[in-house]
Structures are given as C-alpha cells and as structure tokens.
C-alpha cells in the first residue's frame, strides 16, 4: 500500500512510524522545516500523566501510550522522557479529585502503591514553595508522569524515518486534497497520488478540509517560561509537575525545570480563536495573566520573572476527543484539545490499524473518545 501523509507533527510522524511496520510505502509532506517551529508538537516538553478526571478510556490510554513510547525509544535507540511525578492539590474531600482517583483505581492503579493521598502537613513539608492555603486541603501524587521532550522526539523520529528509507519531504506544502482520487496537489502545482492520503495537519486541518470545521476549532494558546528566584531553583528541579485543572475548561499546569529546560506555566483554558498562519504575537498583560493563575498557589509569585511567552495552536473538539475521519481514500487525524502529544504514539498506531483494516472506524472513534 502506498500512503501519502500530510503533516510532520507527532500525529503524522507516528502514523508513518506505525504504518511502515506494516510494509506500507510512505511519502510524508511537511509544509515547513522538520520539526516545524510553528507546529504544535514542538517546544521543550509536553506532559504525560495518568489522572484524567473520570475519563476511564483516556486513563487507560495513558498506559497504552507509555508502552508505545517505550517501543519508539527502542526503535530510536534513545529516550526522550523525563519522569517528574505528578502532584494534584485537593484531598479526598475534593469531589473531583476523589472521582479521579476512583477512576485511576478502575484503570488498575492502586492507592498506596501508585497513588498517595497527602495531608496538608506532608504537602507543606515536601513542597515548601507552595502557599500554605494551597495545600490546606491536602492532595495526591503519583510517581509516574513527566515530560516528553516533544521537539527532540519529532526531530529524532523524522531523522529515523528518513534513515530507514521513508520519503520524508520538509518544505513541501500541500494546497489541496482529493479524497476520491487519493491525490494531493503541492504548492508548485504538481500532484501525487496514493492508495490512501492521511491528513495530520494539526491546527491547519480546516484549511485543507473545511468540512472538518464542524468538528474541530483552531485555538490559540499561550504558555509562559518563567525564571524562579535563584534560591528556589534547586527545589523546583525536584518538584513534580503540578496540575490544577478543573472540569469545564479551567486551570493551569506547571512544568518544573527539568535538565536543559526552563520552568513553564500553561493555561489550560481554550481560547477557540485565532489563525495558526497569523503572526504569533502576544501582549505583556496576556503573559502576566497566565502567571497570575498561580497566585495563591506559589509563594512569592511576584519574584518570578517572565522570560519567554510563546503562542501555540491546537484544535479543540467539543468533548476533547481525538478525531478520525474517513472519506474514500482520505483519513484525517486530529490530535485535539491540548492533550494529544502524550497519545501521539498510540494515535499513529490507531491510524495504521484503520488503514490496514485491523480496527474499524467505529472502534477507533469510540476509543478516541476516551470515555
Ligand atoms: C501550549 C500547548 C501545550 C500543550 N501541552 C500538552 C501536554 O502537556 N500534553 C499533551 O499530551 N499534549 C499537549 N499539547 C497538545 C499537543 O501538543 C498536540 O495535541 C499535538 O502536538 C498535535 O500534534 P499534530 O501532529 O496533530 O499537530 P502538529 O504538531 O501541529 O503537526 C501538524 C503539522 O502539519 C503541517 N501542515 C499543516 N498544513 C500542512 C499542509 N497544507 N501541507 C503540509 N504540511 C502541513 C504543520 O506545519 C505541522 O507541522 C499542548 C499543545 C499546546 C499548544
């Protein structure tokens, strides 16, 4: 089978990786350089963690993803994951956290072994950088969870795929897709056709496939790298990632400064606005507002200097599901809603399963809902 893949982010590359193992012949077309700094699968890190509110499917999918990442590390001969552990504030009296931990248990994780409820005193002792009020209700932590070095993964995977013989073409924008003919048109007017065309165009997907605009919306997001006060750096380097994500599109996440990277604060609220092709501009007020989300959680917040805000895009789906859309020879894959990188390895496998008939669209779509 000959397959054209449009998009060299994690979804496109992982699909190429998984499909190649089935014997498919692959041409991957990326509009920019590889990695593309404007794509979503770049930056220093993307988080992977088990707590997924009451979404049992996504909770289980994290285990599948860890296994698939391990397979990728073996193929690459290098690992691009740093385990930090996961910290969530709010003890068993917090209904949302109690429900999340119950879901973790249904997925096979165990309180005592994998999950540890923490009292306010333990939190205050172990995490003195946090405000007393923030830890007053207790919390829980897991040893698992950490940072996937996403930019490095994309770079290493693209290089690996080219090395093992796939046709990987950076700086090759696709301007049109014909699902019936299995054909793509390139910016220079030339055309390529194949048995299947996979569109994994990230936040640009609705430009190529306007019909998908009913299912996914590009969303401009801001993250901010900060410099903590110098006397706290060593303590931050031992901190787990921190999640403060409420049900219903709220909250922030904090990535501690793992070796070689800065300390990052991300805004989990979806903007559902913006154009990924537009200039990536931001205001100082916007950046400050992201940091302000940590007010009341981090001591001495005013001493944290903003060093680099970054604008990034992803698509949002109403239920935060991943989208697999099949139409004749076309398969569109969208790793949506700001949580798709961790699942990139298994999203690629799911796309390969669909194209090789191992799983049906109904099966994959149900799985991709993560419910
Ligand atoms: C601020 C932020 C924080 C995030 N944090 C996390 C996190 O902690 N954990 C997590 O799991 N996920 C996270 N995500 C989400 C994750 O990064 C995305 O789900 C994932 O990277 C999407 O990958 P993709 O391959 O679908 O898209 P992309 O990486 O954007 O890849 C799409 C590629 O297609 C190319 N392309 C588009 N149109 C064309 C065309 N016409 N022709 C050729 N090429 C084209 C683009 O240039 C791009 O390189 C975060 C996202 C953002 C923005």
């Amino acid at each position: 089978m000959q397959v054209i893949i449009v998009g060299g982010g994690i979804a496109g590359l992982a699909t190429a990786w998984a499909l190649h193992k089935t014997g498919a012949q692959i041409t991957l077309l990326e509009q920019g350089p590889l990695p593309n700094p404007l794509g979503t699968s770049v930056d220093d890190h993307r988080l992977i963690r088990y707590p997924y509110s009451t979404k049992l499917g996504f909770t289980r999918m994290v285990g599948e993803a860890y296994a698939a990442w391990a397979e990728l590390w073996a193929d690459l001969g290098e690992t691009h994951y740093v385990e930090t552990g996961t910290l969530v504030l709010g003890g068993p009296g917090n209904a949302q956290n109690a429900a999340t931990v119950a879901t973790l248990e249904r997925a096979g994780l165990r309180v005592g072994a994998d999950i540890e409820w923490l009292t306010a005193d333990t939190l205050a002792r172990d995490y003195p950088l946090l405000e007393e009020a923030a830890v007053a209700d207790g919390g829980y932590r897991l040893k698992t969870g950490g940072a996937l070095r996403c930019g490095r993964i994309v770079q290493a995977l693209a290089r690996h795929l080219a090395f093992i013989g796939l046709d990987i073409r950076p700086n090759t924008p696709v301007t049109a897709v014909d699902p019936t003919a299995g054909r793509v048109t390139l910016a220079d007017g030339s055309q390529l056709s194949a048995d299947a065309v996979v569109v994994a165009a990230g936040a640009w997907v609705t430009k190529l496939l306007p019909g998908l605009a009913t299912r996914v919306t590009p969303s401009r997001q801001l993250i901010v790298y900060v410099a903590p006060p110098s006397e706290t750096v060593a303590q931050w380097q031992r901190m787990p990632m921190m999640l403060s994500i409420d049900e219903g599109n709220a909250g922030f996440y904090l990535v501690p400064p793992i070796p070689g990277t800065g300390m990052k604060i991300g805004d989990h609220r979806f903007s559902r606005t913006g154009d990924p092709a537009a200039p990536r501009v931001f205001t100082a007020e916007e950046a400050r507002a992201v940091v302000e989300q940590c007010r009341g959680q981090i001591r001495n917040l005013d001493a944290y200097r903003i060093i680099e805000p970054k604008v990034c895009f992803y698509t949002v789906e109403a239920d935060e599901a991943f989208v697999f859309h099949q139409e004749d020879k076309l398969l569109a894959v969208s790793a949506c809603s700001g949580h798709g990188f961790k699942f990139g390895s298994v999203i690629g496998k799911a796309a390969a399963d669909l194209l090789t008939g191992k799983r049906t669209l109904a099966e994959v779509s149900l799985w991709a809902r993560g419910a």
Side-chain angles (χ1 to χ4, degrees), residues 38-59:
L38 296 179
T40 315
S41 307
V42 289
D43 202 15
D44 282 337
H45 21 49
R46 296 287 184 246
L47 297 175
I48 179 166
R49 35 79 186 182
Y50 272 101
Y52 244 96
S53 71
T54 53
K55 292 181 173 160
L56 182 60
F58 282 136
T59 310

Side-chain angles (χ1 to χ4, degrees), residues 10-11 30-31 36 40-41 46-47 174 253 312 335 338 340-342:
I10 193 60
E30 163 57 46
Q31 65 182 352
N36 185 343
T40 315
S41 307
R46 296 287 184 246
L47 297 175
V174 170
Y253 51 90
C312 186
F341 194 93
K342 70 178 75 58

Side-chain angles (χ1 to χ4, degrees), residues 56 59-60 101-111 113-115:
L56 182 60
T59 310
R60 289 191 169 132
V101 169
T103 307
L104 289 166
E105 289 184 289
R106 286 180 67 200
L109 283 82
R110 285 168 304 147
V111 173
D114 309 298
I115 311 157

